[in-house]
């Protein structure tokens, strides 16, 4: 996000389910580290807990957008993309604020296609589930031999590289 917003100044904010998910905490810590200098042109100012609720996320994002006119980036570590989209649309910021999210879902696909979301970080959850099932099958004796334990890469998806 910092690279894509090069030359712009303002606030970047983040949204996650809550602090109860370890992965979301790690995502927030990693994101905040890149914007930690208060004298930098881009400053991380808010970490909002939307609980993956479209309505709550809408209210939280809308509140920040109404309070500050210098928001240039939103990172959503969780779900509730429709709520973010609604807040951006209501404030006339739908394609003006760099919006980054996670996972390729019907909602994120729609946002990528419309230009409201710049990119989605897809961790290929279907492959993660398949691997977990293979491990369980091995543990209970339904699968012989070793289970693939190679790292699962993530994909960066933009409107330009959406499949089909």
């Amino acid at each position: 996000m910092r690279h894509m917003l090069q030359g712009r100044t303002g606030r970047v904010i983040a949204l996650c389910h809550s602090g109860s998910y370890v992965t979301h905490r790690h995502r927030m810590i990693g994101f905040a580290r890149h914007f930690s200098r208060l004298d930098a042109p881009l400053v991380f100012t808010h970490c909002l807990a939307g609980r993956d609720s479209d309505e709550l996320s809408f209210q939280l994002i809308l509140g920040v957008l109404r309070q500050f006119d210098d928001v240039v980036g939103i990172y959503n570590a969780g779900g509730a993309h429709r709520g973010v989209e609604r807040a951006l649309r209501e404030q006339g910021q739908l394609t003006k604020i760099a919006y980054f999210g996670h996972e390729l879902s019907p909602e994120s696909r729609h946002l990528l296609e419309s230009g409201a979301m710049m990119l989605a970080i897809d961790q290929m959850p279907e492959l993660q589930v398949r691997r977990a099932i293979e491990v369980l099958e091995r543990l209970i004796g339904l699968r012989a031999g070793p289970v693939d334990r190679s790292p699962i890469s993530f994909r960066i998806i933009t409107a330009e590289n959406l499949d089909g």
Side-chain angles (χ1 to χ4, degrees):
M1 181 180 284
R2 189 172 60 197
H3 177 73
M4 293 177 111
L5 290 172
Q6 195 168 13
R8 294 181 68 185
T9 61
R11 297 170 191 273
V12 294
I13 63 175
L15 178 70
C16 66
H17 177 276
S18 66
S20 63
Y21 291 155
V22 173
T23 56
H24 287 204
R25 282 197 312 265
H26 289 171
R27 290 173 185 176
M28 292 299 100
I29 291 167
F31 182 76
R33 281 187 185 144
H34 290 284
F35 299 100
S36 60
R37 285 189 23 234
L38 294 177
D39 62 336
L42 299 169
V43 179
F44 175 58
T45 60
H46 292 78
C47 181
L48 309 168
R51 302 189 118 4
D52 291 344
S53 158
D54 283 320
E55 185 58 34
L56 179 56
S57 296
F58 164 72
Q59 294 295 333
L60 291 169
I61 296 293
L62 186 64
V64 171
L65 295 177
R66 284 181 173 165
Q67 185 176 2
F68 302 102
D69 64 357
D70 64 343
V71 175
V72 294
I74 298 173
Y75 168 58
N76 185 354
H81 295 302
R82 294 283 186 187
V84 175
E85 175 191 27
R86 189 170 143 218
L88 290 170
R89 185 180 308 282
E90 187 164 306
Q91 289 302 112
Q93 300 291 319
L94 193 59
T95 58
K96 297 175 185 170
I97 292 177
Y99 178 41
F100 290 24
H102 275 268
E103 309 315 340
L104 184 60
S105 65
E107 291 82 15
S108 61
R109 176 180 287 279
H110 162 75
L111 293 173
L112 288 163
E113 290 171 342
S114 72
M117 182 183 280
M118 288 185 95
L119 66 81
I121 303 165
D122 185 61
Q123 294 149 301
M124 301 185 4
E126 297 86 0
L127 181 54
Q128 292 178 18
V129 169
R130 191 175 316 123
R131 290 266 184 92
I133 290 170
E134 289 171 3
V135 168
L136 291 173
E137 288 173 341
R138 175 74 171 107
L139 289 172
I140 62 173
L142 295 177
R143 176 180 291 272
V147 174
D148 184 0
R149 295 186 184 271
S150 62
I152 298 174
S153 299
F154 64 89
R155 303 180 300 164
I156 300 296
I157 301 175
T158 65
E160 292 77 18
N161 71 346
L162 273 171
D163 53 349

